[in-house]
Amino acid sequence: MRSLLLKRLFDFASALTGLLVFGWIILLVCVLAAIDTASSGIFLQKRIGRYGKPFTIFKLRTIRCDGTISTIGSFLRKFKIDEFPQLLNVLLGDMSLVGPRPDVAGYYDKLQGTDRQLLQLRPGITGLASLKYADEEEILSQQNEPDMYNDKVLFPDKVRLNLIYLRQRNLFLDIKIILWTFAGNKAKTEFVKSFKD
């Protein structure tokens, strides 16, 4: 209980600091994204949260109305800048800095057996699975059947990694994962490999 309270305090303080320091950048990029996509600069979507309850996630809009990724959107997605508004989700308590990435309905809410333990966790902006699959969009773009590959290969491996995090989680591990989030993809993969089932 004490470790969970400490994690929440760390999340809240970090998210508040991040929004105070980078809030103006988020607003500026939001305006640019709105111009580039000819719509609102913020993308809202229902995701599955802690205990399987849905919540609204905040992201910077990167896709135009015709379904194509905008010019600025490609840059935002490459450097994960489109995720910055999720600091507000962390502040509100919907998310944590570290945890399983929140998915749409039909994935985490459908887990069975011991895998459902993952629903005890707040979804995170980053995590072990996020580090390993930092280039997930590229991986899926190379598959003949990306949806099937995601369902049969990527998602089960993400569940495995998130269960490892669930068993080993502590504030020090969270800080390590946050720091490794800014490393190169190869270094991230090697870091994740150090965790055993």
Side-chain angles (χ1 to χ4, degrees):
M1 182 65 71
R2 184 180 177 183
S3 62
L4 292 177
L5 178 60
L6 192 60
K7 177 180 174 67
R8 178 62 190 139
L9 289 173
F10 175 74
D11 283 342
F12 184 87
S14 300
L16 182 60
T17 301
L19 287 169
L20 289 173
V21 174
F22 300 109
W24 66 275
I25 296 177
I26 296 172
L27 288 174
L28 176 61
V29 177
C30 182
V31 171
L32 294 174
I35 295 170
D36 197 31
T37 60
S39 60
S40 68
I42 290 289
F43 174 71
L44 307 176
Q45 188 179 49
K46 289 292 182 184
R47 299 287 179 94
I48 299 300
R50 195 180 190 193
Y51 306 128
K53 296 178 180 177
F55 73 98
T56 301
I57 197 171
F58 304 109
K59 297 181 74 172
L60 292 170
R61 188 173 289 279
T62 59
I63 299 179
R64 298 189 179 98
C65 295
D66 63 2
T68 60
I69 298 175
S70 68
T71 305
I72 293 176
S74 297
F75 175 81
L76 298 181
R77 290 161 80 104
K78 180 178 180 180
F79 294 100
K80 308 297 184 184
I81 299 171
D82 60 321
E83 314 282 357
F84 281 13
Q86 287 161 44
L87 289 172
L88 183 56
N89 285 118
V90 175
L91 198 67
L92 294 173
D94 296 323
M95 292 179 63
S96 174
L97 293 178
V98 179
R101 283 297 297 158
D103 224 324
V104 295
Y107 288 92
Y108 283 101
D109 54 323
K110 299 298 183 183
L111 291 174
Q112 300 293 321
T114 57
D115 291 350
R116 285 191 68 82
Q117 294 175 12
L118 290 180
L119 293 176
Q120 298 171 19
L121 298 171
R122 285 187 176 91
I125 294 178
T126 188
L128 290 179
S130 301
L131 296 184
K132 181 173 181 180
Y133 295 109
D135 56 350
E136 180 177 347
E137 287 188 9
E138 183 178 343
I139 293 172
L140 291 175
S141 70
Q142 296 171 355
Q143 308 304 317
N144 291 328
E145 298 183 68
D147 289 339
M148 186 179 74
Y149 188 82
N150 177 66
D151 293 350
K152 301 296 184 183
V153 179
L154 294 193
F155 184 69
D157 193 41
K158 289 178 184 179
V159 169
R160 179 186 68 83
L161 290 169
N162 288 324
L163 285 170
I164 291 173
Y165 171 74
L166 176 66
R167 292 191 294 268
Q168 300 184 22
R169 61 185 164 150
N170 59 65
L171 185 57
F172 180 63
L173 176 57
D174 278 13
I175 293 171
K176 284 175 68 175
I177 290 173
I178 290 167
L179 293 176
W180 277 98
T181 299
F182 300 99
N185 287 351
K186 186 176 181 180
K188 290 175 184 176
T189 302
E190 291 303 314
F191 171 69
V192 174
K193 283 182 180 177
S194 68
F195 291 85
K196 306 299 181 185
D197 292 324

